[in-house]
Amino acid sequence: MHGDTLTVGHLVLEVVALRGHTPGSVALALREPEHVDAPDAVPGRVHLFTGDSLFPGGVGATGGDPARFTQLFDDVVTRVFDRFDDATWVYPGHGADTTLGAERPHLAEWRERGWYRRGPEP
């Protein structure tokens, strides 16, 4: 459920429900420990594993259903962008990774465009 935690060894993952792509879709948030000293580590930085809910360039597919798009988009905004900072790394279920900082400027464009992704203009 949204807000639950899952412990795997010494790692704690927070469940972030992102409804709309499929029923029960979630992202998992992993926060780097405050005492981390590994190369390139940033204490407190979040790594977000989003499955098929958030990608570089927009939210995941919602089957062409405007209501499902609205639900997914609203969840991504309130449960991800409103909560985590721009340094948060996003790892989709497939394709390239990104950061919230790279995607945040495009939220209004995503909402306007709706559920589908436009390809390049001919």
Side-chain angles (χ1 to χ4, degrees), residues 36-103:
V36 70
D37 62 0
D40 298 323
V42 177
R45 178 175 52 189
V46 174
H47 297 267
L48 194 61
F49 302 89
T50 60
D52 287 345
S53 295
L54 177 61
F55 295 91
V59 298
T62 56
D65 182 336
R68 284 176 50 202
F69 167 80
T70 299
Q71 181 69 71
L72 178 56
F73 183 83
D74 289 349
D75 277 1
V76 164
V77 170
T78 61
R79 296 179 176 184
V80 174
F81 283 95
D82 288 354
R83 180 149 178 251
F84 299 111
D85 67 22
D86 286 352
T88 299
W89 277 99
V90 175
Y91 306 97
H94 50 90
D97 57 324
T98 187
T99 64
L100 292 185
E103 304 304 322

Side-chain angles (χ1 to χ4, degrees), residues 57-66 69-70 109-119 121:
V59 298
T62 56
D65 182 336
F69 167 80
T70 299
E109 171 191 331
W110 298 354
R111 168 136 354 242
E112 181 180 325
R113 153 178 98 198
W115 62 270
Y116 60 91
R117 292 177 70 170
R118 288 189 183 132
E121 295 296 323

Side-chain angles (χ1 to χ4, degrees), residues 1-3 14-29 48-54 72 79:
M1 296 207 116
H2 180 70
E14 180 186 343
V15 176
V16 180
L18 297 174
R19 305 157 297 179
H21 175 66
T22 60
S25 289
V26 299
L28 297 173
L48 194 61
F49 302 89
T50 60
D52 287 345
S53 295
L54 177 61
L72 178 56
R79 296 179 176 184

